[in-house]
Amino acid sequence: MRKERPTNLAIQTMALPITAYASILHRVSGVIVWAALVALLPLLIFAIQSQEHFTTLSTLFTENFLAQFIVWGLLTALGYYCLGTVKHIIQEFGYFEELASGCMISRVAIGLGIVLSIVIGALIWL
């Protein structure tokens, strides 16, 4: 039997379909959201202890660029995770399952994620 399978594949030279990028982004954003939950729950507990603690955190998030950037990144990840979840739910109902329509809904999800990221940035910094 002759083996014609490729050997020593160079992953960086392969072109992935847009659906693969949408799936990878969905998984990465899910990990970011869960990691952020672990980091932000202590901040929430700190903020609800007293008015002074809340004011301290509020000042931190309104005056510190690094804190604003982190919040922007976390909200962007949460937004894309929600969009990717809605995309998966739509596909679970049997819509957009073919290759062409699956690519189209993946492009829509990624595009809406970019728009949502810009809107979140505008809300934070403007």
Side-chain angles (χ1 to χ4, degrees), residues 32-33 36-37 39-40 43 57-80 116-125:
I32 291 170
V33 166
L37 184 66
L40 293 178
L43 290 178
L57 282 180
S58 178
T59 303
L60 173 73
F61 287 126
T62 56
E63 296 178 0
N64 188 344
F65 178 77
L66 182 61
Q68 291 174 342
F69 185 75
I70 290 171
V71 168
W72 171 77
L74 297 177
L75 289 176
T76 297
L78 177 64
Y80 183 76
L116 188 61
S117 175
I118 293 168
V119 169
I120 291 169
L123 289 173
I124 290 175
W125 286 299

Side-chain angles (χ1 to χ4, degrees):
M1 182 184 306
R2 202 171 142 202
K3 291 186 178 180
E4 293 187 23
R5 295 176 13 184
T7 57
N8 298 328
L9 293 176
I11 297 294
Q12 65 272 16
T13 62
M14 294 181 188
L16 296 174
I18 190 74
T19 54
Y21 289 115
S23 178
I24 292 167
L25 282 173
H26 186 249
R27 291 169 193 237
V28 168
S29 64
V31 169
I32 291 170
V33 166
W34 283 102
L37 184 66
V38 171
L40 293 178
L41 275 178
L43 290 178
L44 177 63
I45 293 169
F46 178 78
I48 63 174
Q49 286 178 351
S50 70
Q51 181 65 35
E52 293 80 25
H53 290 166
F54 178 81
T55 305
T56 302
L57 282 180
S58 178
T59 303
L60 173 73
F61 287 126
T62 56
E63 296 178 0
N64 188 344
F65 178 77
L66 182 61
Q68 291 174 342
F69 185 75
I70 290 171
V71 168
W72 171 77
L74 297 177
L75 289 176
T76 297
L78 177 64
Y80 183 76
Y81 184 74
C82 292
L83 289 170
T85 302
V86 169
K87 178 184 91 67
H88 282 292
I89 290 172
I90 290 170
Q91 289 179 320
E92 286 294 323
F93 280 114
Y95 301 104
F96 302 103
E97 289 183 326
E98 296 79 24
L99 181 60
S101 60
C103 288
M104 190 260 315
I105 196 170
S106 294
R107 283 189 186 97
V108 168
I110 291 172
L112 286 175
I114 292 169
V115 169
L116 188 61
S117 175
I118 293 168
V119 169
I120 291 169
L123 289 173
I124 290 175
W125 286 299
L126 297 180

